[in-house]
Amino acid sequence: MSKFWDFLLMPLGWILEKLTLLFGGNFALAIFFFTLILNVILIPLSMKTQKSSAAQARVKPKLDALKKKYGDDRQRYSMEMQKLYQQENVSMSGGCLPLLIRFPIMIGIYNVVLSPLKYIAGVSTETIEAAGKAVEAQFGKVGNNYLLQPAIINRIQNGELTGFDEIANKIKNLDFNFLGIDLTSKPTFNIDIIHHFEWNWMIPILAFAAAMISSIISIMVQKKVNPDAPNMKGMMLTMPLISLFLGFTVSAAAGFYWACSSLIAGGIQAVLQVAYGPGKIIAAEQLKQTHKRVLEENKLAAAAKNIPVED
């Protein structure tokens, strides 16, 4: 399994490294464009999901008829449903495959963003482990492995951890700030907001706002394109609240990535829904079938009169 992750993470890490160099060491800009590029690359998978949704919508009236016909006979309904899918050339798992492909990629991006020492600075695993032990020996446990590399960078840049000149030299030209917020720091929430407010709290809040905006746009577009789509209002708050909660458990870099991902992926999905949604696909298929049927009827009529017809 570790070889699989290495195979996945190395090219992702290479892209993030080159983008960071391109933007003069600006980590925040690199994360934004890193997320943008990968979401653009994944557009074909999103389009495949749209096609699968369109196919499901096309056969839905026939499925409803089967359900009404066979009632509570689930076994017969299942058999007839499979037969219908075969006749209509619809894959029952067509929408799942793109999600299965996207999931490890998104997990990979998350890991790369939280491993700047390895993938951007090019620090060896042995040196990172030694620095991690030194941080935990001096300042206590950092929590989990996802917090380790940001914590090392934070301590070295603040002058709290010394003796690791190799790391210090490799990160000295890297900028881990976003609008004055240190992305290597971990937002730690305190109920006493007045006395313990920290500016890095803005990152989880940004992730929450981005997820909320993305959810609202997605639901609005979905309802406009497909008024019969199931009500997704419950998801409108669920995902943003999850983003807000998780934003206080990891470094600010992860929260910033989630915010970028929500805005970019949500924007792309909204455009696809409007320009390439199930309704558009079904309409295009119906137009194509109508055109084909008209041509066939014209050919038959022309054949009866011995008149040649061009396609």
Side-chain angles (χ1 to χ4, degrees), residues 55-309:
Q56 295 284 348
R58 177 166 50 82
V59 301
K60 187 178 184 301
K62 296 181 179 180
L63 282 175
D64 291 341
L66 287 176
K67 193 170 186 179
K68 184 177 180 181
K69 181 178 180 180
Y70 295 107
D72 296 330
D73 190 347
R74 293 185 179 181
Q75 184 175 358
R76 181 65 185 276
Y77 171 71
S78 179
M79 291 173 59
E80 294 297 328
M81 180 176 64
Q82 292 180 22
K83 188 186 298 183
L84 174 64
Y85 276 22
Q86 290 175 356
Q87 291 172 351
E88 297 288 339
N89 195 28
V90 176
S91 172
M92 297 180 69
S93 60
C96 297
L97 182 59
L99 294 176
L100 291 175
I101 295 174
R102 287 180 70 100
F103 182 71
I105 293 176
M106 303 312 289
I107 295 296
I109 297 172
Y110 175 77
N111 278 273
V112 167
V113 166
L114 290 177
S115 306
L117 286 179
K118 180 176 181 179
Y119 294 108
I120 298 177
V123 179
S124 67
T125 302
E126 292 76 13
T127 302
I128 293 173
E129 289 177 352
K133 290 178 181 178
V135 167
E136 293 187 339
Q138 294 183 43
F139 308 101
K141 297 286 288 185
V142 296
N144 56 60
N145 290 334
Y146 293 118
L147 292 169
L148 186 60
Q149 292 190 38
I152 293 171
I153 295 171
N154 186 272
R155 296 295 183 180
I156 289 178
Q157 288 190 328
N158 291 337
E160 298 172 321
L161 180 67
T162 58
F164 293 91
D165 295 339
E166 176 191 351
I167 297 178
N169 290 331
K170 288 187 174 182
I171 66 173
K172 66 180 180 181
N173 295 322
L174 299 179
D175 181 8
F176 293 96
N177 288 289
F178 171 68
L179 300 179
I181 300 173
D182 186 358
L183 295 181
T184 66
S185 65
K186 175 184 174 297
T188 304
F189 182 74
N190 191 299
I191 197 67
D192 187 359
I193 298 176
I194 296 176
H195 297 98
H196 294 90
F197 175 81
E198 298 176 8
W199 280 109
N200 60 9
W201 290 7
M202 299 306 298
I203 297 297
I205 294 172
L206 177 63
F208 170 83
M212 180 63 77
I213 292 171
S214 178
S215 296
I216 293 172
I217 293 175
S218 178
I219 291 172
M220 289 175 62
V221 172
Q222 179 76 9
K223 281 298 180 184
K224 184 178 180 180
V225 174
N226 182 13
D228 296 326
N231 195 322
M232 299 291 288
K233 288 184 179 179
M235 296 297 291
M236 187 184 292
L237 269 178
T238 302
M239 293 310 297
L241 286 174
I242 290 174
S243 298
L244 180 65
F245 171 75
L246 292 179
F248 284 101
T249 65
V250 292
S251 71
F256 181 72
Y257 158 64
W258 288 331
C260 293
S261 181
S262 293
L263 290 176
I264 293 170
I268 290 175
Q269 188 62 31
V271 171
L272 285 177
Q273 282 283 3
V274 173
Y276 197 72
K280 296 268 187 179
I281 297 173
I282 293 173
E285 289 179 353
Q286 290 174 342
L287 182 63
K288 186 177 179 180
Q289 290 173 2
T290 301
H291 180 67
K292 184 179 179 181
R293 185 173 62 253
V294 170
L295 284 177
E296 290 175 350
E297 290 173 352
N298 288 342
K299 284 182 179 180
L300 290 173
K305 298 179 182 181
N306 294 322
I307 300 175
V309 176

